[in-house]
Amino acid sequence: MASVPSLASSVNQRVADALASALPEAGAADPLLRRSDRADFQANGILALAKKAKANPRELAATVVEGIPTGDLIQEIEVSGPGFLNITITDRAIVETLAARAGDDRLGVPLAANPGTTVIDYAQPNVAKEMHVGHLRSAVIGAAMVEILEFTGEKVVRRHHIGDWGTQFGMLIQYLLEHPHELDHKSDEEVSGEEAMSNLNRLYKASRALFDSDEEFKTRARARVVDLQAGDPETLSLWQRFVDESKIYFYSVFDKLDMDIQDPDVVGESGYNDMLVETCKLLEDSGVAVRSNGALCVFFDDVKGPDGNPTPLIVQKSDGGFGYAATDLSAIRDRVGNLGATELIYVVDARQSLHFKMVFETARRAGWLNDEVKAVQLAFGTVLGKDGKPFKTREGETVRLVDLLDEAVERATAVVREKAAKVGLTEAEIVENGQYVGIGAVKYADLSTSAARDYKFDLDQMVALNGDTSVYLQYAYARIKSILRNAGDRKPVAHPELELDPAERALGLHLDQFGELIAESAAEHAPHKLAAYLYQLASLYTTFYDQCPVVKPEPELVVGENRLFLCDLTARTLTKGMSLLGIRTPEKL
């Protein structure tokens, strides 16, 4: 279906045409249209244009008003202050535009004019290590950006750059070689994520203890790293066992998070091994990187250490080993050259910002990034406890991600159970909804905060029925579905001929902004803007429902149908928006 122009874009066009007519020398001038408390919209662009043309702003504003037709789209325009335009839309235009949106599967949201290919690097756990609360944000923010960008028509390639290479594997592989049954499973049945992680944890602790206490084992482990890097078949096959066991665990955690992660999307550090030597050669031959004390380094004028000396990006160490930089630069080459990326997004902790700044600048100097291909770090802050300090257990340990998710589901299930009898939920529905509400609460708490900011992890607040929580949005959706089920013979029908109540107008104007909001969230990599839009939508709906009877006391037929239409479109917008954030909306709650 064709996209539906928003009311704002239609008004903007009318004012821009009138401006061009009143002041031809200004060319295609921007009216600077904004939502307003005094009217539906305010155009603020005339002041600057008048100053430029040395004209009287109020006189120019009056001339512009004369050139704008009213009646179909615009009900009235008034000149305010030194030359602002206050613009009110007709009720008919609001309902007709919403009806056009309702007739489209995409709710009238346009596809991007020039979609490209975006590679998103997110959810990057480490092989043989437990996922903790620090892994949560990368996974949740990245998954939401994937959905939002795909909805705009962008081709999105997911990449999970897992930590599956490095010196620690020498220790693990050597220990497994000497204790071959440590990763065996209890039975041939499907292995749980918990069992897989328990095996890996046990083996990691035992191998670390031996490595720290036995010099001969340490020597054998270090020799095993050399075998791994040289591609020795036996060593590689043991390494693969660690990767496979870890994936059983990773996928079980992502499943709890209600996230779909496919095997081909998991390309860890090891996936770029074959490119490392060539990457270094290209950088050295082009002069982008230089040898310094035997290491291959890239220097930057603006990156200096505490001593005032330049701090380089080390691509290859003096012993010939490769660091993270070599892998990250090889990944950029692969993503641009082989995957055809026009944009690279890295959803990575803000504490790694300097590393990525240097990596991106190096790639630009090498010509792998340019005006047509850009890379950005979607940097995120830290998850804090209620005390405002980094989130730890009482014993000071990092919080295991599975424990946190299980507790969220447990709390949410209790909240759902309290209301279950009232809406007639079965035990199976209570359990299922508890999962949707619990996981939704965790995701929404993260996504409703700007990624760059730290946020407090407070489960009591997250599963609260009131306030800016996903549960509030889920209940708003479930309430609308209940209203639609109980409407009897009445159906949602748009009636453009009706006058709208203030609460209906406010809801309608907000519903119409959905497409523009999606475009903004995609362009700015800002899922928190979509979360804020949805919270405001649920709040406006609550006001509408309080002030405008939908079913009881029964309004006049056409009024009731039009209000059911607003209910229906609100529900569809809520569920679409929530799904883009990776959050489910149960029909009954």
Side-chain angles (χ1 to χ4, degrees):
M1 276 228 182
S3 64
V4 179
S6 70
L7 292 163
S9 64
S10 300
V11 171
N12 200 68
Q13 192 60 54
R14 292 269 177 106
V15 180
D17 291 347
L19 257 174
S21 180
L23 201 66
E25 62 270 31
D30 186 353
L32 298 179
L33 196 73
R34 303 285 181 270
R35 285 298 308 274
S36 167
D37 294 334
R38 298 185 176 184
D40 295 331
F41 296 100
Q42 188 173 71
N44 300 334
I46 289 172
L47 286 172
L49 288 169
K51 190 176 178 184
K52 206 171 173 184
K54 297 186 169 52
N56 179 307
R58 271 193 76 91
E59 286 176 11
L60 177 58
T63 309
V64 170
V65 169
E66 283 170 21
I68 300 175
T70 56
D72 58 340
L73 171 66
I74 294 170
Q75 186 174 312
E76 96 181 275
I77 312 177
E78 61 167 22
V79 179
S80 143
F84 302 119
L85 298 184
N86 287 336
I87 303 165
T88 304
I89 306 291
T90 65
D91 290 346
R92 174 174 286 277
I94 293 174
V95 178
E96 283 178 346
T97 302
L98 295 182
R101 290 195 177 288
D104 177 29
D105 288 344
R106 291 177 51 81
L107 301 173
V109 176
L111 292 164
N114 300 299
T117 298
T118 296
V119 177
I120 301 192
D121 187 326
Y122 70 108
Q124 310 105 344
N126 293 311
V127 164
K129 288 190 181 170
E130 194 132 30
M131 288 176 73
H132 54 77
V133 69
H135 290 109
L136 178 67
R137 299 207 72 184
S138 177
V140 169
I141 295 166
M145 279 314 308
V146 167
E147 296 296 331
I148 291 168
L149 286 169
E150 283 188 335
F151 189 58
T152 67
E154 186 79 358
K155 179 187 174 187
V156 179
V157 181
R158 301 156 170 83
R159 276 292 173 268
H160 307 295
H161 190 87
I162 62 172
D164 65 353
W165 204 250
T167 52
Q168 76 274 21
F169 283 98
M171 174 184 87
L172 294 169
I173 293 166
Q174 188 61 35
Y175 189 86
L176 186 59
L177 192 67
E178 296 173 15
H179 304 79
H181 300 297
E182 283 299 300
L183 286 183
D184 291 354
H185 298 140
K186 293 172 192 165
S187 69
D188 293 335
E189 290 171 27
E190 195 174 333
V191 187
S192 71
E194 279 291 322
E195 187 192 333
M197 195 63 242
S198 153
N199 280 349
L200 290 164
N201 261 341
R202 190 179 62 250
L203 193 148
Y204 190 89
K205 283 174 184 166
S207 64
R208 168 55 69 186
L210 196 57
F211 187 86
D212 291 343
S213 64
D214 184 333
E215 282 301 319
E216 288 184 3
F217 177 75
K218 187 181 281 190
T219 304
R220 294 196 299 277
R222 284 180 172 154
R224 189 60 56 186
V225 177
V226 178
D227 293 340
L228 177 65
Q229 289 172 340
D232 171 61
E234 182 187 31
T235 306
L236 276 176
S237 105
L238 291 168
W239 167 80
Q240 189 64 51
R241 283 193 68 190
F242 281 102
V243 175
D244 292 343
E245 193 78 5
S246 299
K247 279 184 178 178
I248 294 171
Y249 164 69
F250 296 157
Y251 292 171
S252 75
V253 179
F254 291 129
D255 196 45
K256 272 185 199 286
L257 267 171
D258 199 13
M259 273 174 57
D260 180 34
I261 292 212
Q262 301 291 334
D263 233 30
D265 305 334
V266 180
V267 182
E269 294 166 6
S270 64
Y272 306 100
N273 283 346
D274 295 345
M275 301 175 72
L276 301 179
V277 172
E278 189 184 14
T279 295
C280 291
K281 187 173 187 318
L282 290 168
L283 291 172
E284 193 169 9
D285 289 353
S286 63
V288 171
V290 293
R291 291 282 166 188
S292 175
N293 297 324
L296 186 64
C297 303
V298 183
F299 289 91
F300 309 87
D301 294 338
D302 59 342
V303 183
K304 292 185 168 63
D307 55 4
N309 292 324
T311 301
L313 181 72
I314 299 172
V315 185
Q316 188 177 23
K317 293 178 265 193
S318 54
D319 65 2
F322 300 101
Y324 289 125
T327 306
D328 287 333
L329 288 162
S330 299
I332 289 175
R333 285 179 55 215
D334 174 62
R335 291 164 184 184
V336 175
N338 298 329
L339 300 177
T342 49
E343 181 172 49
L344 306 175
I345 300 176
Y346 290 77
V347 188
V348 184
D349 191 313
R351 287 170 292 193
Q352 295 186 48
S353 293
L354 179 60
H355 169 78
F356 279 100
K357 179 186 169 188
M358 294 196 289
V359 165
F360 296 161
E361 177 55 29
T362 301
R364 267 191 288 275
R365 290 180 190 178
W368 305 329
L369 296 176
N370 49 44
D371 291 344
E372 277 72 52
V373 186
K374 59 179 179 175
V376 291
Q377 182 192 358
L378 207 177
F380 56 83
T382 308
V383 180
L384 306 174
K386 286 186 193 180
D387 57 2
K389 294 176 183 170
F391 199 20
K392 304 276 187 189
T393 63
R394 284 199 183 89
E395 296 73 39
E397 298 287 317
T398 307
V399 179
R400 288 178 1 132
L401 185 51
V402 284
D403 292 345
L404 188 141
L405 298 177
D406 287 346
E407 190 183 347
V409 169
E410 200 179 302
R411 296 272 192 97
T413 306
V415 170
V416 172
R417 196 177 291 284
E418 277 177 36
K419 299 225 173 195
K422 195 175 172 185
V423 288
L425 292 180
T426 64
E427 182 59 30
E429 286 171 328
I430 292 170
V431 170
E432 185 177 61
N433 287 357
Q435 292 216 309
Y436 295 160
V437 171
I439 298 303
V442 170
K443 288 182 177 180
Y444 186 84
D446 193 319
L447 295 169
S448 57
T449 307
S450 167
R453 290 175 53 197
D454 299 343
Y455 82 97
K456 287 184 184 176
F457 196 95
D458 182 347
L459 274 177
D460 293 328
Q461 198 179 332
M462 287 179 189
V463 298
L465 301 178
N466 296 312
D468 189 4
T469 65
S470 69
V471 197
Y472 175 66
L473 301 179
Q474 288 168 320
Y475 266 108
Y477 175 78
R479 175 201 263 176
I480 298 172
K481 296 306 281 184
S482 169
I483 290 164
L484 294 169
R485 282 194 299 271
N486 295 328
D489 296 336
R490 296 192 169 205
K491 295 283 177 276
V493 181
H495 286 282
E497 72 279 6
L498 291 176
E499 268 188 44
L500 296 177
D501 228 64
E504 293 174 307
R505 291 186 106 260
L507 179 61
L509 285 165
H510 192 69
L511 282 166
D512 185 56
Q513 287 180 284
F514 185 54
E516 288 168 350
L517 202 284
I518 294 287
E520 196 178 314
S521 299
E524 296 177 21
H525 309 136
H528 71 280
K529 292 199 166 185
L530 175 55
Y533 169 88
L534 295 171
Y535 173 61
Q536 198 181 349
L537 177 60
S539 303
L540 287 167
Y541 179 79
T542 302
T543 305
F544 155 79
Y545 186 71
D546 288 345
Q547 296 178 6
C548 305
V550 179
V551 180
K552 291 177 183 172
E554 199 169 292
E556 187 189 333
L557 179 63
V558 288
V559 173
E561 287 181 338
N562 200 58
R563 287 177 182 170
L564 282 170
F565 162 73
L566 287 172
C567 288
D568 187 53
L569 187 57
T570 300
R572 288 174 59 194
T573 306
L574 271 174
T575 196
K576 171 46 76 180
M578 293 286 268
S579 76
L580 295 178
L581 296 179
I583 299 171
R584 298 196 187 236
T585 40
E587 303 272 311
K588 284 160 67 177
L589 204 54

